Every structure is written in structure tokens, then in C-alpha cells.
Amino acid sequence: MQSRIVEVRQGILKKNDLLAHGLRQRFEAANLFAVNLVSSPGAGKTTFLQATLTALHAHCRVAALVGDLATERDAERLARSGAPVRQIVTGTVCHLEAEMVGSALADWDLAALDFLFIENVGNLVCPASYDLGENLRVVLLSVTEGEDKPLKYPTIFSGADLAILTKMDIAEAVGFDREEALRNIQEVRPGLEVLETSARSGLGMGAWLAKLKDLKDTRDLKD
Amino acid sequence: MQSRIVEVRQGILKKNDLLAHGLRQRFEAANLFAVNLVSSPGAGKTTFLQATLTALHAHCRVAALVGDLATERDAERLARSGAPVRQIVTGTVCHLEAEMVGSALADWDLAALDFLFIENVGNLVCPASYDLGENLRVVLLSVTEGEDKPLKYPTIFSGADLAILTKMDIAEAVGFDREEALRNIQEVRPGLEVLETSARSGLGMGAWLAKLKDLKDTRDLKD
């Protein structure tokens, strides 16, 4: 039984990797920079993304996909930014897959976009294994979750390209130990860049937006 | 491919249900009351459980199993209560299964225990599908996660026997809307009892301990 499960799982991941490769090629051909946001439920992905879309929408062409087991709530919240947003409802599936992203984008003109944000299902485990063709994978960690999370969920931190600490405005109120959190992130993923933000107070949002543009410009120059 | 995946998944769940049934029979024969704690990463399961074990350890025989992808940290934290604790390291598996619980308990004398607490992997999706033979499944929701989580992760809330709001001491600081959270819980699981707690301030912990003893007494009388 066990070997058959492993075989089916490997088959799923292999198929996903092929589809993700195809998506990445489409994104590059369209000069589109794609970002995959992963975190626990409640880490503040939607609030962070809403602030990001609102800021970028003024001078860039941005869009978002958002994955949830149920409800269209996040798509409704994100659409307030003025950017086009589409919800992917996964049912009981605990992560987004490249195939879901491909289907959701089927009738979109990617060449008309500069940035695409993909908000994954809230889960610190399962999304780690599924490449969505993104150019940047960002893991968000809120100050309320505990400084030990990188050590306890190492796969998702070691597979990320950037870490973002969220809700920094309440760091003191919840007794967040910043040094320990940073040390734990470096332990599982040495050299990972970490930005400290609060979508509510605006802290660090400028640095994040500048970082995004830098990364896109660097990628575009390479093409 | 898709039908084969579904078939393998059904096979796994069927095997798990059989093993869970066996565990439940062992728990009842030993007069042991087993509690399965599920929540997001960082919702405060370990702190809540540490307070619970410390309070119960004075006059009951209690023990705990704790599941994580990596590290023995939670077992070390929980062992400070004086209760026997064992860590289950799941590697990349996003939930506990009945087989893991059975293996971890293999050399324990269950008749020497009154309560067993099983702290699941932090995940609001995957643990919902895996019965561990528990007598009570408790879903914890912290005030920092957002009031919409029951609507976005309905399976885990609808499969719970009790909901616990954690970190109520910082509810005001994070702008928690208690009425909305309670309304959303009732929407996905009408009639579900909800306890409001703070392991830090002690709020609601007495009601939780009384509830546990009540439930165990009721179960024991039925046997």
C-alpha cells in the first residue's frame, strides 16, 4: 500500500512540475512577474495583498488569484483595490496546484499585466510541494504565531525566496521576540531575506514594493 | 489518474477509520478520555495544553502526544507540566493518523491514565479527515486569526465537538469581533459549544477543566 501511495504522490508532483514549467514560460513570454504568497491561516496574507494591490494599481498593471477551501470573501476584499481578482475554490484540497492556476488564467491576457499575485490556501505544510510557476515565493509569518514556526515547518521556509514578518504593529503587545524569529528563519534557510511589515500602519510596505520592482526589473533584463 | 488518486485516498481513510475504531475501544476499556486538539499553526495549542496539563496533573493522571513536522520543542514545553509526553515527528505529513498514535502509545499502560491529549499538527485543513479514536475533538481559534476562518475552513469546524477561542486577553488589542466569530462558527456548525479562554490570564480555563471532567464522567457512566 505504502509504495503505491508514494508512486501516486510522485506522479501528481511530476505532473504539477510540468504544468508549472509551462506557466513560468507563459509568464516570461508575457513579461509578467508572478508572486506566490504562502502562510498559516490568519497570518494576514489578504490584508497584506490588499495593501500591495492598492499601492501598485496606481502605476502598474496588477491582478490576483486567491485560493480558499470555501467562500469568495477574499476575492471580494481584494477587488476593492481596483485590480482584477479571481477566486479559486479548492473544496477540500489543502493547497493550490499549477493546474488550478492555469485554468483560472485561461481567458486572461497575461501580456496586459505586469504583476500577478497568487494567494495560496492558508497552510504552512502542503503548499510547499507545489510549484505554481511563480518567479517569487514569499512566506509570511505573523508576530502572533510564535517565533518557533520556522523550525516546526522548515520545508515551507526553506523553499521560500523571501520571508515577510506581518502585523509588526502589534509585536510588542504580543511579546514577539524578533531576534529569535530571525535566528530561527536563518537556521532553516541561511541567507533568506526578511522584510518586517505592517499593512495596518504601513511599516515596511515601501521597502516591499521597491523590492518587487527591483526583482521584476532584474528578471526582465535577463530575458 | 484522478480516479486512482481518489481510490488510494479512500483506501487510506478507510484504513485510518479501522485503526481509529480500535484505538477508541482501547481508550474505553482503559476508562481513558482522549482529546484531539486541532488548529492553525500558532493558535496557541501548546500554551493552552501546557496550562491544561499543569492544572489536571495535580489530581488526575494525564498524558500527551504532540505532532509536528520537525523538532521536539513542544514535547519539551509540555513535559514541564510534569505529565508524561511523547513527540510524534511526522516529517512532511500534514496531519496525525491513527497509526502514528497507536505506535506512540504501544508501550504505554493506558489503564494508568484518566486523560490523554493529542496535539495535532498545526493545520486547519488536513487533520479534519483523520479520526484518531478521540472522545472529543476540539478546534482552537485564536483572536488574531480573523473572524472569517470558520467560513473559510468549514470542514474542520463542522467536524469538531467543541470550539475554543484562545488569546482572549489580546482580543481588544487586535480588534477581534467576538459576535462575528461566534456567528460564523454557528453558521458552519449550528449548536457547537464555544469556550472563550486565555491560557495567559487564566480566563475560561476553569470552565474548560470542568467541561472536560463532565464529559469524562458522562462517558464513564454510559460504559
Side-chain angles (χ1 to χ4, degrees), chain A residues 60-98:
Chain A
C60 290
R61 300 166 306 167
V62 292
L65 299 179
V66 51
D68 275 304
L69 271 66
T71 85
E72 304 260 330
R73 293 199 149 217
D74 283 359
E76 288 160 20
R77 280 175 64 192
L78 293 173
R80 285 179 214 146
S81 66
V85 179
R86 188 166 286 176
Q87 178 88 42
I88 302 175
V89 176
T90 66
T92 57
V93 180
C94 51
H95 56 269
L96 288 179
E97 298 184 10

Side-chain angles (χ1 to χ4, degrees), chain B residues 46-102:
Chain B
T46 311
T47 304
F48 179 81
L49 183 49
Q50 197 174 350
T52 303
L53 292 176
T54 304
L56 286 178
H57 187 49
H59 46 91
C60 291
R61 300 167 306 167
V62 291
L65 299 178
V66 51
D68 275 305
L69 270 67
T71 86
E72 303 260 332
R73 294 199 147 217
D74 284 358
E76 288 159 21
R77 281 175 63 191
L78 293 173
R80 286 180 213 145
S81 67
V85 178
R86 189 165 283 174
Q87 179 88 43
I88 302 174
V89 176
T90 66
T92 56
V93 180
C94 52
H95 57 268
L96 289 179
E97 298 184 9
E99 190 171 15
M100 302 174 189
V101 172

Side-chain angles (χ1 to χ4, degrees), chain A:
Chain A
M1 186 68 178
Q2 199 59 41
S3 71
R4 203 171 143 216
I5 295 166
V6 172
E7 186 195 317
V8 170
R9 187 175 147 79
Q10 283 173 343
I12 294 170
L13 289 176
K14 195 171 168 185
K15 184 186 155 201
N16 186 78
D17 282 349
L18 280 172
L19 291 171
H21 180 70
L23 281 175
R24 191 168 281 111
Q25 287 183 317
R26 282 183 64 197
F27 296 156
E28 296 200 5
N31 245 12
L32 169 68
F33 193 82
V35 180
N36 178 6
L37 299 171
V38 296
S39 81
S40 293
K45 282 186 301 306
T46 311
T47 304
F48 178 81
L49 183 50
Q50 197 175 350
T52 302
L53 292 176
T54 305
L56 287 178
H57 186 51
H59 45 92
C60 290
R61 300 166 306 167
V62 292
L65 299 179
V66 51
D68 275 304
L69 271 66
T71 85
E72 304 260 330
R73 293 199 149 217
D74 283 359
E76 288 160 20
R77 280 175 64 192
L78 293 173
R80 285 179 214 146
S81 66
V85 179
R86 188 166 286 176
Q87 178 88 42
I88 302 175
V89 176
T90 66
T92 57
V93 180
C94 51
H95 56 269
L96 288 179
E97 298 184 10
E99 190 171 16
M100 301 174 191
V101 172
S103 300
L105 294 176
D107 58 350
W108 276 16
D109 176 14
L110 298 185
L113 292 173
D114 299 311
F115 289 98
L116 172 71
F117 295 89
I118 306 169
E119 182 184 336
N120 222 308
V121 175
N123 188 323
L124 270 190
V125 188
C126 314
S129 308
Y130 292 85
D131 184 2
L132 304 181
E134 70 268 19
N135 303 104
L136 186 75
R137 187 178 297 188
V138 179
V139 60
L140 290 86
L141 174 67
S142 71
V143 298
T144 66
E145 286 172 74
E147 300 79 5
D148 59 350
K149 293 304 163 292
L151 303 180
K152 291 172 68 180
Y153 301 88
T155 321
I156 206 140
F157 282 87
S158 62
D161 303 304
L162 181 70
I164 296 204
L165 298 181
T166 59
K167 308 190 190 180
M168 283 299 290
D169 57 301
I170 54 166
E172 211 178 303
V174 299
F176 178 64
D177 185 337
R178 177 180 170 275
E179 296 305 317
E180 195 191 335
L182 294 176
R183 200 164 47 237
N184 290 341
I185 291 172
Q186 295 305 315
E187 188 174 326
V188 296
R189 176 74 160 79
L192 185 65
E193 186 173 358
V194 183
L195 298 179
E196 300 173 35
T197 69
S198 163
R200 196 152 70 168
S201 77
L203 172 84
M205 296 303 289
W208 153 245
L209 296 171
K211 180 85 203 162
L212 266 181
K213 284 182 194 168
D214 252 18
L215 288 167
K216 177 169 164 42
D217 289 348
T218 309
R219 200 278 316 259
D220 292 352
L221 280 173
K222 267 195 219 153
D223 288 348

